[in-house]
Amino acid sequence: GDASLFVFLSFVMLRSLAAAVPRVVSPALRARWISFPADAAPDSKEVQESLRAEVKKAPVVVFMKGVPSAPRCGFSANVIQILHHEGITDVHGIDVLQDNTIREGAKIFSDWPTFPQVYIDGEFIGGRDIVYNMFQTGELKQLLSKIKK
């Protein structure tokens, strides 16, 4: 009856949504997964050099809670929204919730205690408040215009 029709239509709708996801979520918005052995010290040379290499892998790198396509905190989501507003869709996101060594190592690397942490052309820019202020003043647009292709 009506219940089976509802279940069928729900299934069809979910299936079509699932089929659309790969087209909606750009490969550029998927997270980059890096990890270290459980005994790696966040301040070790290996970890810090790996993080240094990571921030140079893309023009815009964000150490964040979650991934660009699914942020897991409001500040991370806001930074991604700002970057998208400025036309940056190729965001190299690194989920700091996936690995404690990355989370603690990134704090040491940037000398910044909170997330998200935004890097542009390998240089640490700041967290959400700094990025937001730069967005409001036009500084962010000017900085990002140098890396747009």
Side-chain angles (χ1 to χ4, degrees), residues 12-24:
V12 169
M13 195 166 74
L14 283 173
R15 203 172 87 198
S16 64
L17 268 174
V21 167
R23 289 190 299 273
V24 173

Side-chain angles (χ1 to χ4, degrees), residues 8-41:
F8 173 75
L9 290 176
S10 296
F11 174 75
V12 169
M13 195 166 74
L14 283 173
R15 203 172 87 198
S16 64
L17 268 174
V21 167
R23 289 190 299 273
V24 173
V25 179
S26 157
L29 295 180
R30 295 194 182 114
R32 172 96 174 122
W33 302 108
I34 57 173
S35 62
F36 298 98
D39 61 348

Side-chain angles (χ1 to χ4, degrees):
D2 290 340
S4 61
L5 180 61
F6 175 76
V7 169
F8 173 75
L9 290 176
S10 296
F11 174 75
V12 169
M13 195 166 74
L14 283 173
R15 203 172 87 198
S16 64
L17 268 174
V21 167
R23 289 190 299 273
V24 173
V25 179
S26 157
L29 295 180
R30 295 194 182 114
R32 172 96 174 122
W33 302 108
I34 57 173
S35 62
F36 298 98
D39 61 348
D43 61 348
S44 71
K45 184 177 178 183
E46 172 196 8
V47 169
Q48 293 301 303
E49 285 179 0
S50 179
L51 295 174
R52 182 172 287 104
E54 205 63 33
V55 301
K56 294 178 181 179
K57 285 187 178 177
V60 179
V61 176
V62 181
F63 286 89
M64 61 185 291
K65 294 178 180 177
V67 296
S69 59
R72 291 179 59 190
C73 91
F75 296 116
S76 292
N78 192 228
V79 162
I80 297 301
Q81 289 170 338
I82 290 169
L83 291 170
H84 285 178
H85 182 79
E86 294 294 350
I88 302 299
T89 56
D90 188 8
V91 178
H92 180 74
I94 301 166
D95 186 358
V96 299
L97 298 176
Q98 296 299 315
D99 188 308
N100 189 55
T101 303
I102 293 170
R103 184 170 48 256
E104 296 307 315
K107 291 177 187 179
I108 294 165
F109 180 70
S110 65
D111 195 24
W112 194 260
T114 59
F115 296 99
Q117 296 178 359
V118 178
Y119 289 80
I120 297 176
D121 279 339
E123 296 296 320
F124 178 62
I125 301 305
R128 183 265 178 202
D129 291 346
I130 291 173
V131 169
Y132 181 69
N133 288 338
M134 290 177 71
F135 168 69
Q136 287 186 311
T137 64
E139 286 179 82
L140 185 63
K141 181 184 280 304
Q142 184 178 4
L143 183 60
L144 291 172
S145 71
K146 297 173 185 172
I147 65 162
K148 287 185 184 175
K149 293 173 180 142

